[in-house]
Amino acid sequence: MIRQLLFAQPGSAAESIRSWWYLRLSAAALLPLVLWFIYDLSTLDSLEYEVVRDWLATPSTAILFILLIPVLFYHSQSGMTEVIEDYLADGKQKTAAIILVRFLAALCAFASILAVMLVCLGL
């Protein structure tokens, strides 16, 4: 059963189950990370640039934030992919839109992680 889900053919029912399962797993991973993020930001004295930059430059905060970024972008692109698959009828437009969403999500995740790394290094 697990092997069938992991190596599902495109368009099969097993692929749909796999994408559904990954969406739920990413949501479960997002919950504690987002709660941490909201709580930690709320404990700051102010949200001025220097204060937030110093907060983000601490190693534990940077590590958790770097964990949050790819999960957040994966979850958002998965949700957008589901919407595109449900509401676009034309196969070429659907494929182009899915490729664009995945590319933009990967690009934004990479840029966000790079920005956090630059803040941590003090650049």
Side-chain angles (χ1 to χ4, degrees):
M1 172 79 175
I2 292 175
R3 183 177 159 183
Q4 290 172 339
L5 288 177
L6 290 176
F7 302 106
Q9 297 297 318
S12 68
E15 183 189 22
S16 297
I17 293 170
R18 182 179 59 195
S19 66
W20 179 88
W21 184 245
Y22 286 166
L23 196 60
R24 296 320 179 266
L25 286 175
S26 64
L30 272 178
L31 183 64
L33 289 169
V34 168
L35 290 175
W36 158 81
F37 180 71
I38 292 170
Y39 173 76
D40 229 24
L41 267 183
S42 68
T43 61
L44 294 178
D45 294 333
S46 70
L47 294 178
E48 294 177 5
Y49 175 75
E50 293 81 17
V51 175
V52 175
R53 187 187 64 212
D54 292 341
W55 168 76
L56 189 57
T58 58
S60 60
T61 301
I63 290 170
L64 286 172
F65 200 67
I66 288 173
L67 286 174
L68 173 68
I69 291 168
V71 175
L72 180 67
F73 280 106
Y74 174 79
H75 186 77
S76 64
Q77 73 88 21
S78 292
M80 286 301 299
T81 300
E82 291 295 320
V83 170
I84 290 167
E85 288 175 349
D86 288 345
Y87 291 105
L88 280 182
D90 184 26
K92 290 181 182 180
Q93 285 181 347
K94 185 186 299 189
T95 302
I98 290 171
I99 290 170
L100 180 64
V101 164
R102 289 182 179 174
F103 174 74
L104 289 176
L107 182 67
C108 290
F110 176 75
S112 300
I113 291 171
L114 182 63
V116 172
M117 299 287 283
L118 291 174
V119 167
C120 288
L121 296 174
L123 301 175

